[in-house]
């Protein structure tokens, strides 16, 4: 154990024959951070994670963990631990033997193995379950054994590949919080793979969004949500209405934007005057039953009552829009007219 | 720094060169007379170092250089590419020199001009012994370690070493002997090149003659073999399919009994089916006599020749096709058939358009197996052939007969081998690249389609009489051992059993006085010894095929598959051609029998391993690797415990198969190592059927006991493991 380590990818590529699974990506994970690899299925997340573990060797580029170049090192020589999607608990060993496995094969003295394994089980709330076989545990418990088995080694880097995908929806929320708490308590550098954007926003210090073997954007959850770097990211993280707009002028980094009759002033984010793309979060659209200043008139096509909020589909001069409105007390009926304004937050220019 | 495995192999290499006798000992591998009888001072027993220093075998000296080369790596970084190059150079150089001097200098002296300066007058040498073999292994592992440093098998030295070992063994004991056949076919019996003699022999009328078509005379053995193999392949595949359909797709009640048929070919010694057929349908056979009396005909010898052999082979090999096709028919996913039916296909259409095409690979496989088994079958043609010559028996008589013609045997073997490879190739072509996998691993509920009524009746009509016939044949075998002389004198007697297996009270305790004991114990011993390496090598190969990826995996896979397709007859002939001269001088030893069993039966281990390992989630291995276990520890602690049933199965089946092997063994036995099957062959040739059948019955019982014991142990283990599920609904949410 050498304390939390950083993980650095330098132009790393992975090819499987003709398929380029990961295409020349670079990123860095700060020591002690939890970074999520997020993206649609098949974009190369698992492959990236397996390259950190050493289960796949990079076809090109350099991988550095804790200042040590591990590009050519086999998995056994790297100080990483991984929690598998299927948990991969050894069915012929008890829970305690599973957790102790990594220590035993590293020839740690027996007494210490037992003590550390017990402590790890305690840490995940499974003290006293050591004598059971994995098949005698529920899904959530198996998941925690897998986590205990990984953290007991006090690895430089902890890896998770879609750890919640085999759990039901309710359990998922709880386990992800447990994982995050444990990670912060131990301060282990962690890389976490998921395709679920909500999960990623909930647990991460930073998120790396991947798309088709390359990194689409990297940043904190807030940056990704509020300043998406591309149409793909804007669409993938949270819902967004993507509409055509026009930049009239750019001054001191501020752009005068016109979209379907609405005039806005937004951070230019590198855009120049001319046609532009605008991302509008559904909650940033306000609908009013009466006309008012700076509002444009829209038509409500569809209204859905969802208990806590209303969802509308409206036809606006900007195009069709999807709206989430918290005012459930005075719903707007489908077919009626309404007037729309934009909240200051949640509207952003998307660089082309 | 040298890593631990490398240091170990380096030490082993040096120890072998300095301490172990370099050459093969006449007294056997496990004799230690060399320690007391002169050791380093003896020309035959000395280790390599002393061979060079004291016995003028200077040509061994360069090996020391290659053994020393890896020492330069001490003090270099562990995974450096430079070190890798060095190791590959040392290993490849050493292995090259070892082979060069091994083939260039033999028991007759030096034959390679290049080496002459190193060899003093009268310099000779024998086959490789302990020392030479270990040094060769050390060189092999230098190479694989070096290649691992260059990224072979993701740098994993254990995986790289395993690949190297399997490749080297398959090359040495499959491909090298087969190539030796090719080269010896091109020579006359004195060893001189004689390509015209080869052509002469190849186009011999006895092989390719077509006189039987034009009427009068016989056809060549190549045509005979081919016709027989195609017919056997077809009949066993169709019968096997009928059996598989009855067992899996009908409500037939005696399914379990039908399933027991599948163990028959495994436990049936050669000749017994042929003998039973003679006893029933031969000239004085029960059925023949009965029908002849009934119809007032002359009892004829109709069963000898093509009909008899085809009949016997179909009986013998149908269960193999059945076994293959059960798996395939069960593997056709019910949801595919249900899908077809929801798309308005009736049962018959569903069967012909969905089920049957999905069984295509299984049908091809079953046909190929029947075809190859028939080509290689030696026992049935021998007893039932009459004047119908086939390649397998011709090869045998070319070697052991009065004519002793090694070249002719080699030519016949080439013809046989080319038939096999053509079938193999055709099968690969026919299956093509299409995917037939229908079992997804996901819970696949749904009911298998029941057979359309017409087809079901057809299957019953075929299956029930055939199963009954099989049962009669096997009962006949048991019965035949207890009568004086089958067909003539049906008085009950224990004479044959007493003759073969009597035990008498002697002065110094029990004396195994029966005539069969000697071959019986030898068989048990050799079969047991060979079971362990067979299972180990088979499972190792399966592990490499299922779990590892490396550059030339497809070629590796093809090579191992190809070696399975080589008939036993070829292995037998090629082994005596390849291994009766240095550097590998093995004929007449028990080792050659063990080796031939290992490489004949390896497919059993590979298949068992692949089947079980494919069911183990790959992430189990990966989890172990990320938990700091190297791949050797992973195999030992995770894979092997989970594979225990497969290991046991591989051990028992290779043991049992070794007991019934004949086609390769018949060429390899020697006075010291007579096997049960060859002893039985001798009795059959003498017409002593009662004794042969009695012996076969005993073998069948021994093998049944072994298999029964294994199934009991495996079944027991599973039951013991199935712990009650404690995961209750309440815990599901915790
Ligand atoms: N062993 C492999 N052989 C060939 N292609 C692979 C292999 N592993 C992954 N791929 C391909 O690489 C791409 C990325 O896969 P993966 O990293 O598993 O995606 P993700 O985890 O993001 O869903 C996919 O197109 C996949 O088909
Ligand atoms: Mg994935």
């Amino acid at each position: 154990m050498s304390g939390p380590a950083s993980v650095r990818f330098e132009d790393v590529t992975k090819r499987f024959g003709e398929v380029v699974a990961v295409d020349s990506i670079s990123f860095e994970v700060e020591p002690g951070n939890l970074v999520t690899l997020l993206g649609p299925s098949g974009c190369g997340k698992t492959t990236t994670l397996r390259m950190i573990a050493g289960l796949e060797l990079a076809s090109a580029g350099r991988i550095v963990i804790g200042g040590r170049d591990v590009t050519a090192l086999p998995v056994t020589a790297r100080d990483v631990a991984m929690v598998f999607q299927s948990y991969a608990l050894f069915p012929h060993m008890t829970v305690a033997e599973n957790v102790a496995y990594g220590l035993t094969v590293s020839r740690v003295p027996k007494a210490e193995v037992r003590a550390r394994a017990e402590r790890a089980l305690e840490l995940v709330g499974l003290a006293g379950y050591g004598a059971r076989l994995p098949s005698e545990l529920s899904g959530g418990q198996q998941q925690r054994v897998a986590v205990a088995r990984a953290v007991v080694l006090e690895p430089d880097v902890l890896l998770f590949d879609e750890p919640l995908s085999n759990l039901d929806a309710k359990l998922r929320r709880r386990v992800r919080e447990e994982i995050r708490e444990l990670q912060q308590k131990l301060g282990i550098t962690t890389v976490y793979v998921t395709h679920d954007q909500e999960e990623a926003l909930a647990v991460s210090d930073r998120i790396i969004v991947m798309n088709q073997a390359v990194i689409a954007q990297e940043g904190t959850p807030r940056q990704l949500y509020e300043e998406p770097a591309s149409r793909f990211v804007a669409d993938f993280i949270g819902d967004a209405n993507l509409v055509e707009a026009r930049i009239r002028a750019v001054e001191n980094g501020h752009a005068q934007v016109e979209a379907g009759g609405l005039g806005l002033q937004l951070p230019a984010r590198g855009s120049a005057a001319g046609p532009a793309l605008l991302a509008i979060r559904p909650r940033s659209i306000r609908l009013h039953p009466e006309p008012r200043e700076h509002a444009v008139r829209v038509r409500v096509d569809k209204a859905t009552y969802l208990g806590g909020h209303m969802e509308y589909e409206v036809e606006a001069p900007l195009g069709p829009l999807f709206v989430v409105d918290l005012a459930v007390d005075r719903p707007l009926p489908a077919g009626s007219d309404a007037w729309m304004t934009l909240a200051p937050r949640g509207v952003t220019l998307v660089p082309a | 720094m040298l890593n631990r495995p490398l240091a170990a192999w380096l030490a082993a290499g040096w120890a072998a060169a300095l301490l172990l006798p370099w050459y093969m000992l006449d007294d056997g591998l496990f004799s230690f007379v060399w320690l007391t009888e002169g050791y380093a001072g003896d020309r035959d027993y000395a280790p390599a170092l002393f061979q060079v220093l004291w016995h003028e075998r200077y040509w061994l000296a360069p090996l020391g250089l290659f053994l020393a080369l890896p020492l330069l790596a001490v003090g270099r970084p562990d995974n450096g590419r430079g070190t890798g190059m060095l190791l590959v150079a040392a290993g490849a150089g050493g292995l090259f020199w070892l082979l060069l001097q091994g083939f260039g200098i033999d028991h007759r002296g030096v034959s390679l001009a290049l080496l002459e300066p190193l060899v003093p007058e009268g310099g000779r040498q024998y086959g490789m012994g302990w020392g030479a073999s270990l040094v060769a292994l050390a060189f092999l592992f230098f190479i694989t370690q070096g290649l691992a440093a260059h990224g072979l098998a993701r740098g994993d030295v254990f995986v790289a070493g395993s690949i190297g070992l399997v490749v080297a063994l398959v090359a040495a004991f499959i491909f090298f002997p087969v190539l030796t056949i090719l080269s010896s076919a091109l020579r006359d019996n004195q060893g001189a090149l004689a390509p015209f003699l080869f052509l002469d022999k190849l186009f011999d009328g006895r092989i390719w003659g077509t006189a039987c078509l034009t009427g009068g005379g016989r056809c060549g053995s190549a045509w005979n073999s081919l016709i027989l193999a195609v017919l056997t392949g077809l009949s066993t595949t169709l019968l096997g399919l009928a059996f598989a359909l009855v067992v899996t797709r009908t409500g037939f009640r005696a399914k379990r009994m039908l399933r027991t048929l599948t163990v028959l070919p495994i436990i049936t010694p050669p000749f017994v089916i042929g003998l039973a057929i003679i006893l029933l349908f031969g000239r004085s056979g029960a059925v023949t006599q009965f029908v002849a009396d009934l119809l007032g005909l002359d009892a004829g010898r109709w069963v000898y020749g093509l009909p008899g052999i085809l009949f016997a082979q179909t009986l013998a090999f149908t269960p193999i096709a059945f076994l293959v096709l059960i798996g395939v028919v069960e593997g056709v996913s019910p949801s595919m058939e249900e899908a077809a039916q929801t798309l308005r296909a009736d049962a018959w259409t569903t069967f012909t358009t969905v089920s049957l095409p999905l069984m295509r690979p299984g049908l091809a496989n079953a046909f190929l197996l029947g075809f190859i088994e028939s080509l290689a079958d030696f026992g049935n043609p021998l007893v039932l052939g009459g004047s119908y010559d086939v390649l397998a028996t011709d090869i045998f008589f070319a070697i052991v007969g009065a004519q002793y013609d090694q070249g002719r045997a080699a030519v016949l073997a080439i013809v046989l081998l080319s038939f096999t490879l053509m079938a193999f190739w055709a099968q690969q072509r026919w299956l093509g690249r299409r995917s037939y996998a229908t079992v997804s691993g996901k819970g696949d509920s749904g009911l298998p389609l029941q057979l359309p009524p017409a087809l079901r009746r057809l299957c019953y009509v075929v299956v029930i009489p055939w199963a009954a016939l099989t049962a009669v044949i096997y009962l006949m075998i048991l019965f035949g051992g207890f009568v004086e002389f089958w067909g003539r004198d049906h008085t009950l007697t224990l004479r044959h059993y007493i003759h073969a297996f009597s035990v008498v009270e002697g002065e110094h305790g029990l004396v195994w006085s029966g005539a069969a004991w000697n071959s019986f114990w030898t068989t048990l011993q050799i079969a047991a010894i060979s079971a362990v390496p067979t299972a180990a090598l088979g499972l190792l190969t399966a592990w490499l095929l299922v779990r590892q990826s490396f550059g030339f995996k497809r070629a590796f896979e093809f090579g191992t598959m190809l070696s399975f397709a080589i008939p036993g007859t070829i292995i037998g002939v090629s082994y005596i051609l390849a291994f009766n001269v240095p550097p590998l001088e093995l004929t007449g030893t028990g080792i050659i029998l063990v080796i031939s069993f290992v490489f004949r039966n390896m497919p059993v281990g590979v298949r068992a391993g692949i089947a079980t390992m494919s069911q183990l989630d790959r992430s189990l291995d990966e989890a172990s690797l990320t938990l700091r276990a190297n791949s050797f520890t992973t195999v030992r602690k995770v894979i092997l415990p989970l594979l225990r049933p497969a290991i046991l199965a591989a051990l028992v089946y290779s043991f049992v198969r070794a007991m019934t092997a004949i086609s390769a063994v018949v060429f390899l036995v020697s006075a010291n190592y007579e096997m049960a099957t060859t002893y039985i062959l001798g009795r059959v040739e003498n017409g002593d059927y009662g004794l042969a059948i009695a012996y076969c019955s005993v073998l069948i019982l021994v093998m049944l006991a072994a298999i029964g014991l294994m199934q009991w142990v495996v079944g027991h283990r599973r039951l013991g493991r199935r712990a009650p599920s404690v995961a209750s609904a309440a815990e599901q949410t915790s």
Side-chain angles (χ1 to χ4, degrees):
Chain A
M1 168 93 189
S2 40
S6 63
V7 176
R8 196 164 73 241
F9 267 48
E10 296 172 8
D11 298 318
V12 173
T13 296
K14 178 69 193 180
R15 278 178 227 104
F16 294 106
E18 299 283 283
V19 184
V20 181
V22 171
D23 192 1
S24 187
I25 64 171
S26 304
F27 63 84
E28 172 143 13
V29 180
E30 302 280 329
N33 268 3
L34 190 155
V35 170
T36 300
L37 295 171
L38 174 67
S41 171
C43 69
K45 310 177 296 283
T46 298
T47 308
T48 306
L49 196 75
R50 290 166 60 86
M51 283 194 288
I52 302 177
L55 291 168
E56 308 282 359
L57 289 188
S59 313
R62 237 163 67 93
I63 301 173
V64 180
I65 297 180
R68 187 165 65 129
D69 184 343
V70 299
T71 316
L73 286 189
V75 42
T76 338
R78 302 187 186 187
D79 199 9
V80 297
M82 181 155 168
V83 175
F84 288 78
Q85 189 167 4
S86 60
Y87 314 145
L89 299 179
F90 305 130
H92 58 302
M93 299 182 193
T94 62
V95 166
E97 284 167 345
N98 263 286
V99 175
Y101 182 84
L103 298 170
T104 314
V105 301
S106 317
R107 306 226 163 81
V108 173
K110 275 218 176 79
E112 190 188 336
V113 169
R114 200 168 333 113
R116 280 171 68 177
E118 253 164 45
R119 225 178 313 136
L121 279 174
E122 225 167 275
L123 200 61
V124 297
L126 284 180
Y129 284 74
R132 295 210 193 169
L133 286 173
S135 57
E136 299 167 343
L137 297 180
S138 70
Q141 289 168 332
Q142 289 180 10
Q143 212 272 348
R144 285 189 263 165
V145 176
V147 173
R149 188 175 68 177
V151 298
V152 73
L153 290 169
E154 303 177 352
D156 283 353
V157 184
L158 187 56
L159 306 174
F160 288 91
D161 188 2
E162 312 229 358
L164 309 183
S165 58
N166 287 337
L167 303 177
D168 59 57
K170 246 191 183 151
L171 205 51
R172 230 175 265 172
R173 180 180 290 257
R174 214 171 107 187
V175 174
R176 86 183 180 210
E177 276 157 21
E178 284 171 6
I179 289 177
R180 175 60 164 164
E181 256 169 47
L182 188 70
Q183 185 266 337
Q184 288 187 325
K185 188 150 92 187
L186 301 175
I188 302 182
T189 312
T190 302
V191 182
Y192 187 108
V193 163
T194 178
H195 64 264
D196 179 343
Q197 48 101 12
E198 188 189 318
E199 194 179 319
L201 292 173
V203 299
S204 318
D205 289 311
R206 294 180 76 77
I207 297 176
I208 297 171
V209 182
M210 292 185 68
N211 185 29
Q212 297 185 349
V214 298
I215 294 181
Q217 190 177 356
E218 190 202 328
T220 62
R222 181 171 280 259
Q223 279 168 343
L224 290 177
Y225 190 80
E226 293 182 354
E227 296 161 31
S230 63
R231 173 190 275 265
F232 171 79
V233 177
D235 199 26
F236 194 75
I237 309 268
D239 288 311
N241 294 292
L242 293 166
V243 298
E244 306 293 335
R246 179 153 205 91
I247 301 180
R248 291 243 172 94
V250 180
E251 245 172 73
N252 300 331
H254 285 275
Q256 297 296 330
V257 184
E258 198 270 348
L262 284 166
L264 300 155
Q265 196 183 37
L266 295 169
R269 306 188 62 211
S271 306
L277 192 66
L278 202 58
I280 308 172
R281 299 293 173 190
R283 284 178 194 241
S284 307
I285 302 173
R286 303 276 150 78
L287 295 179
H288 314 278
E290 307 297 331
R292 60 168 66 192
E293 213 183 342
H294 300 307
V296 293
R297 181 162 160 170
V298 300
R299 189 179 170 75
V300 178
D301 281 340
K302 201 170 159 190
T304 314
Y305 171 72
L306 284 169
H309 64 268
M310 293 293 299
E311 284 183 6
Y312 296 106
E313 281 171 31
V314 302
E315 190 59 45
L318 304 84
L321 294 175
F322 173 66
V323 182
V324 172
D325 192 355
L326 292 180
V328 279
D329 299 337
R330 41 175 185 84
L332 298 164
S336 66
D337 280 348
W339 280 261
M340 167 190 140
T341 56
L342 289 173
R345 298 194 71 90
V347 183
T348 171
L349 281 170
V350 178
Chain B
M1 263 301 290
L2 294 178
N3 60 32
R4 278 209 314 199
L6 179 57
W9 276 109
L10 194 56
W14 275 106
L18 299 183
L19 302 175
L20 291 178
W22 185 256
Y23 293 113
M24 188 82 177
L25 312 173
D26 286 337
D27 323 286
L29 274 187
F30 299 103
S31 141
F32 289 94
V33 291
W34 49 273
L35 273 178
T36 48
E37 303 281 312
Y39 191 31
D42 187 283
R43 283 188 67 82
D44 295 344
Y45 294 155
L49 176 70
F50 303 97
Q51 296 283 6
V52 176
L53 290 182
W54 296 346
H55 305 297
E56 299 185 324
R57 285 179 170 135
Y58 306 120
W59 59 86
L60 297 179
L63 295 172
L65 178 76
F66 293 112
L67 271 179
L69 221 46
L71 293 173
L72 295 178
V74 178
R76 297 251 212 127
D78 207 10
N79 290 69
R81 303 224 147 180
T83 313
M85 291 290 281
L86 185 75
L87 286 175
V88 173
L95 218 45
F96 176 74
W97 185 260
L98 198 68
L99 293 176
L100 190 75
Q101 60 86 28
F103 284 101
I105 307 167
D106 61 17
H107 56 298
R108 289 169 309 205
V110 56
S111 57
L112 212 60
L114 181 75
L115 292 171
E116 264 160 25
L118 287 172
V119 185
E121 195 55 36
R124 307 180 289 137
Q125 65 178 349
Y126 322 108
M128 294 167 56
W130 277 116
S133 312
L134 253 180
V135 167
L137 269 185
F139 284 138
L140 179 68
F141 287 110
F142 293 169
I143 300 181
T144 59
Q145 287 251 348
L147 291 178
H150 278 261
L152 174 64
R154 286 198 258 105
D156 191 314
V157 291
F158 176 70
V159 177
S162 306
I163 296 171
L165 185 68
V166 174
V167 169
L169 287 175
V170 168
F173 294 110
I174 307 266
F175 288 100
F176 165 62
V178 170
L179 289 179
T180 312
I181 289 201
L182 292 178
S183 94
S184 91
L186 290 171
R187 290 161 200 275
D188 63 21
N189 287 340
Q190 278 66 50
L193 266 187
F196 292 108
L197 190 62
F198 166 68
L199 291 181
D200 237 26
K201 283 179 173 164
L202 183 58
F203 295 110
D204 188 344
R206 284 179 294 173
I207 306 181
W208 298 105
T210 51
C212 62
L213 291 182
T214 51
R218 305 179 188 176
C219 271
S221 50
W223 295 123
N224 286 347
S225 274
L226 199 57
I227 293 166
L228 177 65
V230 170
L231 291 177
T232 303
L234 286 176
S235 64
T236 54
T237 306
L238 288 177
L239 270 168
L241 181 62
F243 272 91
L245 289 175
V246 167
V247 167
T248 57
R249 295 297 164 95
T250 67
F252 191 64
R253 255 174 268 128
K255 283 180 187 175
R256 285 183 65 91
M257 257 179 58
L258 282 188
R259 266 182 197 262
T260 58
L261 272 184
T262 55
V263 302
L264 288 181
I266 307 169
I267 57 156
T268 307
F271 312 114
V272 285
I273 295 205
L275 290 178
I277 287 179
I278 292 181
L279 300 182
L280 282 174
F281 302 102
R283 197 193 174 106
S284 51
V287 175
T288 311
Q289 291 290 345
F290 178 74
V291 174
D293 286 350
L294 203 68
L295 304 180
L297 291 174
D298 230 12
R301 294 174 51 83
W302 66 276
V303 82
Y304 295 93
L306 181 62
I309 311 177
L310 179 60
F311 188 32
Q313 290 189 340
T314 307
L315 266 169
F317 307 141
T318 294
I320 298 180
F322 177 31
L323 189 63
V324 170
L325 289 168
I326 275 190
V328 173
V329 174
E330 277 176 346
V332 173
S333 157
S335 43
M336 302 265 171
E337 293 174 340
E338 287 182 341
Q341 289 187 301
T342 60
L343 297 169
R344 312 272 184 283
D346 60 24
W348 179 253
T349 317
T350 304
F351 182 77
T352 52
T353 57
V354 176
S355 320
L356 205 55
L358 285 172
M359 295 171 197
R360 198 161 108 159
L363 294 171
N365 226 337
F367 177 83
L368 187 72
L369 278 175
F371 183 87
I372 291 178
E373 291 278 354
S374 163
L375 277 181
D377 181 24
F378 164 80
N380 293 311
L382 192 77
V383 292
L384 287 167
S387 61
Y388 193 84
D389 295 327
V390 296
L391 290 169
T393 45
D394 270 9
I395 294 174
F396 176 66
F397 289 120
I399 292 279
V400 302
Q403 45 174 328
Y404 186 74
D405 188 343
Q406 194 172 300
R408 179 171 148 76
V411 169
L412 289 166
I414 289 174
V415 175
L416 181 53
L417 185 60
S418 52
F419 284 167
T420 316
L421 295 187
M422 260 154 39
F424 191 65
W425 176 80
Q427 185 216 26
Q428 299 276 324
R429 276 290 304 258
W430 192 54
L431 291 183
R433 311 187 116 268
R434 229 180 307 178
S435 163
Y436 294 92
T438 66
V439 182
S440 59
K442 293 259 155 55
D444 197 2
S445 54
L447 292 174
L449 179 74
Q450 293 288 305
L451 286 184
L455 187 60
R456 187 174 64 225
R457 276 191 295 275
L458 180 66
C459 284
Y460 283 159
V461 167
V462 172
V463 162
I464 294 171
W466 191 262
L469 182 63
T470 308
V472 168
I473 295 262
Y474 277 83
L475 288 178
M476 217 78 260
I477 295 166
L478 285 180
F479 182 54
F482 290 103
V483 298
E484 267 307 320
F485 196 104
W486 182 267
R488 280 185 222 155
D489 181 356
H490 289 185
T491 331
L492 290 182
T493 175
L494 282 176
R495 186 167 66 91
H496 306 303
Y497 282 92
I498 292 171
H499 180 66
F501 294 105
S502 62
V503 179
V504 294
E505 191 90 51
E507 269 176 55
H508 310 287
L510 294 180
V511 176
W512 306 89
S513 59
W517 283 121
N518 188 17
S519 61
F520 182 75
W521 292 129
T522 310
T523 302
L524 282 190
Q525 191 190 351
I526 296 214
I529 291 177
S530 55
V532 176
T534 308
L537 198 58
L539 292 175
L540 186 67
T541 308
W543 180 67
L544 293 173
L545 288 176
V546 175
R547 284 298 213 266
Q548 301 300 324
S549 52
F550 40 94
F552 52 99
K553 182 163 160 186
R554 282 196 64 86
F556 178 83
E557 192 172 357
F558 189 73
T560 43
M561 297 242 300
L562 196 61
S563 62
F564 303 161
I566 297 175
T569 325
I570 309 268
I571 295 288
V573 175
S574 65
Y575 272 32
I576 47 172
L577 295 180
F579 299 132
N580 67 348
V581 288
L584 286 168
E585 207 178 344
L586 301 170
T587 43
T589 63
I591 305 168
I592 198 169
L593 287 168
V594 171
I595 292 179
S596 84
F597 287 147
V598 170
F599 289 92
R600 291 284 297 133
N601 295 336
M602 208 173 96
V604 181
V606 174
R607 241 178 278 143
I610 287 183
T612 322
M613 238 175 282
S614 321
Q615 290 170 356
L616 298 183
D617 190 352
R618 195 190 182 109
S619 58
L620 289 174
D621 308 26
E622 292 175 344
S624 171
L625 290 173
T626 60
L627 293 168
R628 319 268 196 284
N630 58 31
S631 46
F632 178 64
T633 312
T634 302
V635 167
R636 199 162 53 86
K637 293 206 154 190
V638 177
I639 311 273
L640 285 186
L642 292 173
L643 279 187
R644 223 169 275 163
I647 297 171
L648 194 63
L651 280 175
V652 170
Y653 285 120
S654 49
F655 172 75
V656 166
R657 282 181 56 114
M659 289 187 65
T660 58
I662 180 82
S663 53
V665 172
V666 68
F667 298 98
L668 302 175
V669 289
S670 48
N672 288 337
Y673 295 98
E674 179 163 49
M675 302 287 285
T677 47
T678 50
Y679 179 84
I680 295 172
L681 169 65
R683 304 286 73 71
V684 170
E685 283 180 325
N686 287 344
D688 196 351
Y689 292 170
L691 185 57
I693 285 183
Y695 200 161
C696 288
S697 310
V698 170
L699 288 182
I700 290 179
L701 289 183
V702 169
M703 292 184 280
L704 270 181
I707 291 178
L709 189 70
M710 169 198 80
Q711 284 181 341
W712 184 76
V713 172
V714 171
H716 238 63
R717 250 185 56 77
R718 282 225 195 96
L719 287 182
R721 280 195 53 80
R722 196 179 297 140
S725 168
V726 193
S728 65
E731 276 172 317
Q732 211 79 50
T733 51
S734 68

